[in-house]
Amino acid sequence: KDQELEAAAIDAIKWLTTASPEKLEVTVRDGWLTLKGEVATLHQAQCLEAVLRQIPGIHGVENVVQVVRRTV
């Protein structure tokens, strides 16, 4: 079941145009999802968490992504 939830979370992340899936790591244990990695803005981190919380079977989300501002 946790593997199915991980796959669903990864699919959801791929649909978000604001996030780079290759910079994120998702793990699920007993229905609790942990999201790690890097995003460019706090808004992206919040959007990811909101979307992942909507997945049926996810009991909660630990969002530990880091906001990394890139300089040009």
Side-chain angles (χ1 to χ4, degrees), residues 1-14 26-33 51-52 54-59:
K1 178 76 175 172
D2 287 342
Q3 288 179 336
E4 293 171 9
L5 292 172
E6 282 182 20
I10 292 167
D11 285 344
I13 291 169
K14 287 178 182 176
V26 174
T27 55
V28 178
R29 183 168 180 194
D30 298 326
W32 292 89
L33 185 145
V51 167
L52 297 175
Q54 301 303 314
I55 297 172
I58 295 294
H59 302 303

Side-chain angles (χ1 to χ4, degrees), residues 9-10 12-14 16 18-27 34-40 44-45 47-49 52 63-67:
I10 292 167
I13 291 169
K14 287 178 182 176
L16 290 173
T18 60
S20 299
E22 62 275 359
K23 294 185 180 183
L24 298 168
E25 177 185 339
V26 174
T27 55
T34 301
L35 179 64
K36 297 179 182 177
E38 296 179 355
V39 294
Q44 288 176 339
C47 286
L48 283 164
E49 182 174 342
L52 297 175
N63 186 347
V64 292
V65 297
Q66 295 181 347
V67 176

